[in-house]
Amino acid sequence: MKIKLVAVLFLLIGVLSSCTNISGESSGKMDVLPYYDLKGFVEKEIPKLDGKTVTLTSRVNGVQEFSEKTFTADQWKDEFGAFFEADINKPSMIDSYTTELQKDILIHRAKPGAKTTIKEIMVRIVDDKPIWITFKGSSESMFYTSFINGGIYMNNREDRIDHYEIESTQKIWFLKPNNMKIQGAVR
């Protein structure tokens, strides 16, 4: 009886220790991404923009300003922070979106009831290259409502980002809404 128990125990330990990670995750990363890799796309584009000048149009609560800036790669990462935040390829979101293709536009939409702030990502792809990418997001609670939209538009002749926009509106219960829009044209 003791021999059978020891044999079963060793067999169980051997089976458990030989199991691989079935979920496809290793150290928090998925082997195959279920949705368009917006974060990876932006990371790949940033080195092409290093040292480029951008003409910025900023509007905060109706007050508009124009400026020109030259960004380093690290500053571009900060500038595109909203696009990194819009990444939906997280293990917790694996079944949160539907995916459809309408002609040459790939669309990921949040399923009804999905607990996610990014509601939609659309990517127009021509000749296996993105032409434009947009996202829409929102979140709300009893006291707070927030909306964010963003878009990246490509210059395919130069194979880099041509222009982008990010618009955000936040409304706290008893206060006026804050609206901010940034548009950048890369030269």
Side-chain angles (χ1 to χ4, degrees):
M1 180 75 173
K2 282 185 177 181
I3 295 175
K4 280 186 178 179
L5 184 61
V6 171
V8 169
L9 186 60
F10 277 115
L11 181 63
L12 185 61
I13 291 171
V15 167
L16 290 175
S17 66
S18 68
C19 287
T20 58
N21 192 348
I22 296 171
S23 69
E25 296 176 44
S26 58
S27 69
K29 291 189 176 186
M30 292 180 276
D31 294 333
V32 177
L33 299 179
Y35 309 114
Y36 185 81
D37 188 10
L38 177 58
K39 180 180 177 183
F41 172 78
V42 174
E43 285 175 340
K44 184 184 80 163
E45 291 299 310
I46 285 175
K48 298 177 189 178
L49 300 174
D50 190 16
K52 295 275 186 199
T53 300
V54 61
T55 302
L56 289 170
T57 304
S58 305
R59 186 187 74 221
V60 179
N61 294 328
V63 178
Q64 198 162 346
E65 291 184 21
F66 301 94
S67 62
E68 283 195 12
K69 295 185 178 181
T70 302
F71 289 147
T72 65
D74 287 338
Q75 290 170 321
W76 279 112
K77 275 187 178 181
D78 291 341
E79 186 73 3
F80 288 128
F83 294 95
F84 287 109
E85 293 292 320
D87 178 35
I88 60 174
N89 284 303
K90 297 175 183 161
S92 63
M93 296 182 189
I94 198 158
D95 287 326
S96 298
Y97 294 88
T98 62
T99 299
E100 63 182 279
L101 190 61
Q102 292 181 359
K103 296 187 180 181
D104 57 359
I105 300 174
L106 176 66
I107 304 167
H108 301 300
R109 282 197 184 100
K111 291 178 180 177
K115 296 184 191 242
T116 178
T117 56
I118 301 302
K119 304 303 181 190
E120 179 182 84
I121 291 180
M122 297 176 67
V123 185
R124 181 166 184 230
I125 301 172
V126 175
D127 296 329
D128 294 328
K129 291 183 179 181
I131 302 298
W132 52 258
I133 303 168
T134 62
F135 73 87
K136 294 179 182 178
S138 66
S139 63
E140 69 184 283
S141 71
M142 183 187 266
F143 303 106
Y144 180 84
T145 305
S146 174
F147 299 97
I148 186 164
N149 299 321
I152 290 177
Y153 306 88
M154 298 299 293
N155 178 333
N156 285 337
R157 212 172 314 139
E158 295 185 25
D159 190 35
R160 66 167 173 79
I161 295 173
D162 183 71
H163 61 283
Y164 60 94
E165 59 188 11
I166 303 164
E167 184 170 11
S168 170
T169 301
Q170 289 92 29
K171 170 77 171 104
I172 298 175
W173 196 15
F174 287 113
L175 301 175
K176 290 182 180 181
N178 285 322
N179 179 269
M180 177 187 76
K181 184 171 186 174
I182 296 172
Q183 295 174 306
V186 181
R187 294 188 289 130

